[in-house]
Amino acid sequence: MHKDSVFRLHLGVGVFGGFMSAVRNIHVCRGDHRSSVDTKAAELGEALVPEQEQLPSEQYEDRYRASFDQAAVGILHTSLQGQILKCNQCFARIVGYPPHEIVGANFQTLTPPEDRDSGKAAALALLSGEAASASFEKRYIRKDGKLTWVLLTISIQRDSKGVPLFFLTMVQDIEARKLAEERLAAARRALQVSEARYRTAFQMSLDSVNLNRLRDGLYIECNRAFLELTGYTREEVVGRTSIDLKIWADVRDRQRMLDKLGEHGSCRDLEAQFRKKDGQVFWGLMSASVIELEGEPCVLSVTRDISDAKLAEKEIRYLAFYDSLTELPNRRYLMDHLAQAVAASRRNNSQAALLFIDLDNFKVVNDSLGHHVGDLLLKEVSRRLTACSRSVDFVARVGGDEFAVILEGLGKPSCEAASAAKCVADKILGSMRLPYRIAERDCATTVSIGITFFGQQNDDVSEILRQADLAMYQAKAASRDVVRFFAPELQAAANARGELEEELRLAIRKRQFLLWYQPQVNHGSVIGAEALLRWKHPTRGILAPAEFISLAEETGLIVPLGAHVLESACRQLANWSRSPNLSSISIAVNVSARQFRQVDFVERVLATLKETGADPCLLKLEITETMLVENLEETITIMKALKTHGIQFSLDDFGTGYSSLTYLKRLPLDQLKIDRSFVRDMVADPTSGAIAKAIVSLSQAMDVSLLAEGVETEEQRSFLDRLGCHSYQGYLFSPPVDPEMFRQWLPGNQP
Ligand code: C2E
Ligand code: CA
Ligand code: CA
């Protein structure tokens, strides 16, 4: 029914559309709209309203009212001045006012100020008859203050003469549609922005980005970075697959990526190598995920070129795991590999061996020929070492002049495994013994090798290294240039050494040490004595230095021990100075390298002399050649400083060390002590005899005194005497004895 009425009303608009002349004279001025339109309309309106009552028959009137009120569209009658004459229920609902509250009000009161102009042009066009109807969208202010969108269709009702009566407005509530439209527009704007953003991100990304169809792998899109990185043009890429382009250096990586995508829908940080168009391979870090694009599952991949990082990583790895001088794996790598070898041996139930190799006289070469030659020697040693081992063996430089070789797959524990290892070790020994020609100089070195086996028990890596090291020390102690196997007995010895160290510390605190004195004789009279250390062990009796000196040196305990010796010897000197037949006897004190290298060694010696009141001229310090090569200049400075106070220096064990004239000449020495070994052998062995003879002439050339130690027989004494050496120390005269016995032993002091 109301449909019918709407139709008719629209028809009405058309019918009345032609009549317009009556309002032609209405003058509208935009600037003063209210005054002109409103006054004219007011005149008209007053005349028109009563005319409504003259409308058709009663029946028609009822139908009209019903359709007016029940219409699903808002209907509004407005006077030509804009006053609301009549409105239906629907309109009232749209604006939220009951009809009686708005009838009589100007429709502009329902219009937000900024929208008020929008209807004016339409109204004028209608009034002037230019348009039969006008349709536009606008907003109303509802009673609750909210704005609501409506679509207006306005026409003018005229009387039979065509005189405008009132505006008839159809008001459609389009708030919901507007809202949806606004949302859609906002969404579209956002989409545009984000699309633009994505497009930019896609294109501008420094990482290479590509999009492939999941089902066949075809490239759909790729960015600039992708093209730059791979060297292809976009045309060469799009429509083809990574397989077509042979992009994956290893296609198994592609499978790995696909597997991950299948499993998780994404794949993060896959490191793989890729091939460029020109065949060059580079490292890439790839992340990919499956996305849906217009209903089609695609793979979006982002790849970063990490070739530089890989190179740096390799470099760092190299620095961390290799020795830069010899280019062999370093200690860290050795430990790492050893751990793997242990696991592998256990798994395969097969023996493996660790060879610990130490150069026998590297220090001498390094100190006498210089570090440059030393470095070259180490390089040559590592070259020979590599040549002696199989390609599967692991050769490393542990540090300094220490090397290690891991031999794996030696089979079941057996004599064969041991002899296989021994075979390699012997080969190494033989190769190292060959002369070296380095920087146009000849040098020679040998190595000592310690071997231990692993893989059967639950071996600990550092324990294996310790065992090989221990065996190597055993080789050194034996004679150098040999191989020694680690044996459990060695372990026991090592444990005992640990205990001994503890005891030694305690002994120093408890002052369990004694000094014995061994006379030094010249032409039949006692001129001096060497102070020799003894440990009065609480359970083991008197211990000789051989039992503890090397341990004291290794642990650094030699420093406090040496201080104690020096102090005791000086007290002894002061004590003897009070006996006429002892007052001119000098005391020789052994000084170890560590003690000598203390920064305040000179001050310590002088302070001890002062404290004890000993005569510095009767104190002789025995130093060894090995101490000298370490730092010749420093040694000379220390010696000179002490010599200005009258302290003398004797070079102990002479002939066993490097014996280079070049530095001997520069040392402010007072005495050379011919080593026991020459004295022992010289009578029977012509070489030793010749050396002893040479030492005598050397001492004469250097203008230093000479003393032979370890003189046990009269034959030796007279032999030395004939050579020109007249000072002796040895069992022939007396072993080291305690001070009381020494006093008694002295000629003229016998009871
Ligand atoms: P050294 O300085 O060469 O001392 C001489 C060693 O030869 C002494 O052994 C002495 O007892 C021994 N000896 C003396 N005459 C003969 C002989 O006719 N035949 C034989 N076969 N041996 C003889 P000792 O007292 O056992 O000392 C051994 C080493 O211990 C010393 O060798 C020295 O290097 C070191 N030493 C001893 N006392 C001290 C000390 O107070 N400080 C330091 N740093 N080292 C010390
Ligand atoms: Ca000595
Ligand atoms: Ca000696």
Side-chain angles (χ1 to χ4, degrees):
M1 171 128 177
H2 53 84
K3 241 184 194 164
D4 185 18
S5 67
V6 170
F7 168 74
R8 235 174 4 86
L9 284 167
H10 274 282
L11 195 70
V13 169
V15 169
F16 293 115
F19 305 95
M20 49 178 137
S21 52
V23 283
R24 277 260 158 81
N25 59 345
I26 292 177
H27 166 78
V28 176
C29 162
R30 280 194 178 270
D32 192 13
H33 165 251
R34 202 173 259 277
S35 53
S36 55
V37 175
D38 284 4
T39 25
K40 273 276 174 215
E43 288 163 21
L44 286 166
E46 253 152 55
L48 286 172
V49 174
E51 262 182 298
Q52 285 200 1
E53 277 137 36
Q54 301 162 12
L55 282 175
S57 70
E58 233 167 85
Q59 218 184 5
Y60 177 76
E61 179 69 31
D62 286 349
R63 270 183 68 191
Y64 170 74
R65 180 153 296 125
S67 56
F68 182 83
D69 279 336
Q70 288 159 25
V73 65
I75 304 170
L76 186 67
H77 292 189
T78 323
S79 73
L80 298 180
Q81 298 89 335
Q83 193 186 24
I84 298 172
L85 305 172
K86 195 171 180 179
C87 72
N88 70 350
Q89 285 299 330
C90 182
F91 180 84
R93 262 199 315 278
I94 291 171
V95 293
Y97 287 96
H100 68 266
E101 277 185 33
I102 38 172
V103 170
N106 192 293
F107 80 94
Q108 291 289 39
T109 58
L110 293 176
T111 308
E114 61 272 24
D115 285 7
R116 280 182 192 155
D117 285 344
S118 62
K120 284 178 187 167
L124 286 175
L126 290 171
L127 286 170
S128 66
E130 259 171 60
S133 74
S135 191
F136 57 91
E137 289 172 359
K138 67 169 283 185
R139 293 175 297 177
Y140 277 137
I141 308 168
R142 286 168 50 85
K143 189 180 179 183
D144 59 14
K146 283 190 189 140
L147 295 174
T148 187
W149 276 101
V150 288
L151 169 67
L152 304 186
T153 306
I154 312 176
S155 55
I156 287 190
Q157 294 288 7
R158 296 170 193 272
D159 65 9
S160 51
K161 291 176 207 109
V163 177
L165 299 176
F166 60 96
F167 289 106
L168 173 65
T169 307
M170 303 287 123
V171 182
Q172 262 178 285
D173 181 357
I174 56 164
E175 177 64 16
R177 195 195 86 202
K178 269 287 184 191
L179 210 70
E181 268 176 19
E182 259 167 33
R183 279 204 193 118
L184 199 67
R188 200 168 283 145
R189 269 198 309 279
L191 193 67
Q192 274 167 359
V193 169
S194 81
E195 256 182 14
R197 201 180 287 145
Y198 277 114
R199 195 170 305 280
T200 321
F202 186 83
Q203 276 309 332
M204 299 303 289
S205 168
L206 295 177
D207 293 330
S208 123
V209 188
N210 55 283
L211 196 62
N212 298 63
R213 219 151 55 184
L214 184 61
R215 81 183 129 95
D216 52 12
L218 284 188
Y219 282 98
I220 297 171
E221 193 52 274
C222 62
N223 71 348
R224 210 152 37 201
F226 178 94
L227 301 174
E228 274 164 16
L229 185 61
T230 58
Y232 288 102
T233 61
R234 191 174 171 280
E235 291 65 42
E236 288 169 325
V237 174
V238 173
R240 303 175 74 187
T241 68
S242 61
I243 300 289
D244 295 338
L245 299 180
K246 299 191 176 65
I247 285 226
W248 297 89
D250 182 346
V251 284
R252 281 172 303 182
D253 288 328
R254 177 176 173 271
Q255 197 50 52
R256 272 204 294 155
M257 179 195 70
L258 290 175
D259 289 348
K260 281 204 178 139
L261 286 178
E263 220 174 295
H264 313 289
S266 70
C267 157
R268 286 188 62 83
D269 299 341
L270 174 84
E271 274 186 19
Q273 285 189 294
F274 300 95
R275 200 180 290 106
K276 300 186 180 192
K277 188 183 175 185
D278 64 7
Q280 202 189 323
V281 168
F282 67 92
W283 273 103
L285 182 69
M286 174 186 257
S287 289
S289 51
V290 177
I291 59 166
E292 202 156 288
L293 213 73
E294 286 152 12
E296 175 83 51
C298 295
V299 181
L300 180 74
S301 320
V302 180
T303 310
R304 175 166 297 185
D305 180 3
I306 54 163
S307 301
D308 288 348
K310 273 278 171 188
L311 214 67
E313 182 191 294
K314 208 172 144 195
E315 176 98 14
I316 289 163
R317 213 190 128 71
Y318 185 84
L319 290 176
F321 289 101
Y322 286 85
D323 164 51
S324 54
L325 176 70
T326 60
E327 294 180 359
L328 286 179
N330 63 9
R331 186 191 177 88
R332 187 185 297 155
Y333 194 1
L334 172 74
M335 300 299 270
D336 212 62
H337 189 87
L338 196 54
Q340 287 174 28
V342 168
S345 293
R346 227 177 294 144
R347 216 171 31 243
N348 307 331
N349 191 25
S350 169
Q351 283 272 93
L354 174 68
L355 277 60
F356 205 92
I357 302 151
D358 189 285
L359 265 63
D360 288 330
N361 35 7
F362 178 69
K363 200 160 178 40
V364 175
V365 173
N366 207 32
D367 293 338
S368 57
L369 301 179
H371 291 279
H372 175 61
V373 175
D375 282 356
L376 293 175
L377 177 65
L378 288 175
K379 280 173 106 160
E380 177 58 18
V381 165
S382 59
R383 201 192 58 75
R384 292 186 188 186
L385 209 49
T386 311
C388 288
S389 23
R390 304 165 300 174
S391 59
V392 289
D393 299 335
F394 185 87
V395 182
R397 180 180 175 204
V398 184
D401 58 347
E402 295 173 339
F403 294 85
V405 177
I406 298 175
L407 306 173
E408 288 181 78
L410 298 178
K412 296 245 158 21
S414 64
C415 291
E416 279 99 276
S419 66
K422 175 81 163 58
C423 189
V424 176
D426 283 340
K427 203 167 147 195
I428 293 170
L429 287 180
S431 164
M432 297 300 169
R433 271 184 219 124
L434 299 173
Y436 294 79
R437 179 86 189 150
I438 285 163
E440 290 171 11
R441 308 181 76 144
D442 290 316
C443 19
T445 190
T446 52
V447 294
S448 298
I449 304 179
I451 303 180
T452 192
F453 291 94
F454 60 89
Q456 293 311 301
Q457 309 90 316
N458 190 13
D459 297 288
D460 169 64
V461 170
S462 49
E463 178 62 23
I464 295 166
L465 207 64
R466 228 178 44 77
Q467 291 179 354
D469 192 45
L470 211 60
M472 189 275 292
Y473 270 105
Q474 219 57 27
K476 285 251 186 236
S479 65
R480 303 176 155 203
D481 193 18
V482 289
V483 179
R484 283 288 178 272
F485 285 92
F486 172 80
E489 307 86 80
L490 269 181
Q491 188 63 64
N495 293 347
R497 225 171 148 73
E499 281 164 32
L500 190 67
E501 186 183 332
E502 273 318 296
E503 287 183 347
L504 198 57
R505 283 180 200 282
L506 196 72
I508 293 171
R509 274 210 301 281
K510 292 194 164 178
R511 297 187 162 252
Q512 292 172 350
F513 294 96
L514 307 169
L515 275 190
W516 284 8
Y517 294 88
Q518 186 176 33
Q520 297 175 331
V521 180
N522 179 279
H523 288 119
S525 55
V526 179
I527 50 157
E530 180 177 4
L532 291 158
L533 194 59
R534 296 294 179 267
W535 177 2
K536 197 169 171 224
H537 192 278
T539 56
R540 293 162 64 195
I542 303 282
L543 301 182
E547 308 241 20
F548 60 88
I549 283 287
S550 64
L551 181 65
E553 274 173 350
E554 270 171 44
T555 52
L557 289 171
I558 194 69
V559 174
L561 201 52
H564 173 69
V565 169
L566 186 69
E567 194 197 311
S568 305
C570 287
R571 278 193 204 293
Q572 197 63 67
L573 273 179
N575 180 308
W576 284 349
S577 69
R578 294 188 282 274
S579 308
N581 59 340
L582 287 160
S583 61
S584 61
I585 291 176
S586 66
I587 293 183
V589 173
N590 293 285
V591 176
S592 81
R594 269 177 104 145
Q595 205 183 343
F596 193 78
R597 294 264 168 257
Q598 284 176 281
V599 278
D600 56 350
F601 180 67
V602 174
E603 289 77 17
R604 275 167 184 267
V605 173
L606 296 179
T608 309
L609 282 166
K610 204 170 163 199
E611 239 173 68
T612 55
D615 178 0
C617 298
L618 292 177
L619 179 65
K620 192 180 273 177
L621 299 182
E622 291 195 4
I623 55 176
T624 57
E625 284 177 273
T626 42
M627 284 164 58
L628 303 176
V629 288
E630 258 173 36
N631 190 340
L632 190 59
E633 300 308 322
E634 190 192 339
T635 306
I636 292 170
T637 313
I638 296 171
M639 286 171 76
K640 281 188 174 159
L642 289 169
K643 274 185 76 72
T644 55
H645 295 269
I647 296 157
Q648 299 184 57
F649 282 92
S650 178
L651 192 57
D652 203 357
D653 306 337
F654 189 71
T656 56
Y658 198 65
S659 310
S660 158
L661 246 185
T662 36
Y663 70 76
L664 274 181
K665 268 196 312 208
R666 299 186 51 205
L667 288 171
L669 286 169
D670 300 281
Q671 188 181 59
L672 295 183
K673 270 182 109 170
I674 304 177
D675 190 63
R676 262 199 319 274
S677 57
F678 296 115
V679 175
R680 186 186 61 216
D681 301 335
M682 91 197 143
V683 180
D685 172 26
T687 322
S688 292
I691 293 173
K693 206 171 168 181
I695 293 173
V696 172
S697 24
L698 184 68
S699 73
Q700 285 161 356
M702 283 170 63
D703 196 23
V704 292
S705 70
L706 197 61
L707 184 141
E709 62 180 352
V711 180
E712 293 182 356
T713 64
E714 179 49 39
E715 202 184 0
Q716 289 165 344
R717 195 204 59 80
S718 58
F719 191 96
L720 285 160
D721 195 46
R722 279 198 302 280
L723 286 179
C725 173
H726 313 296
S727 297
Y728 321 105
Q729 182 185 336
Y731 294 169
L732 177 64
F733 307 96
S734 167
V737 291
D738 69 46
E740 191 43 41
M741 278 183 73
F742 186 86
R743 182 186 284 273
Q744 285 174 16
W745 178 86
L746 265 192
N749 274 356
Q750 271 96 341

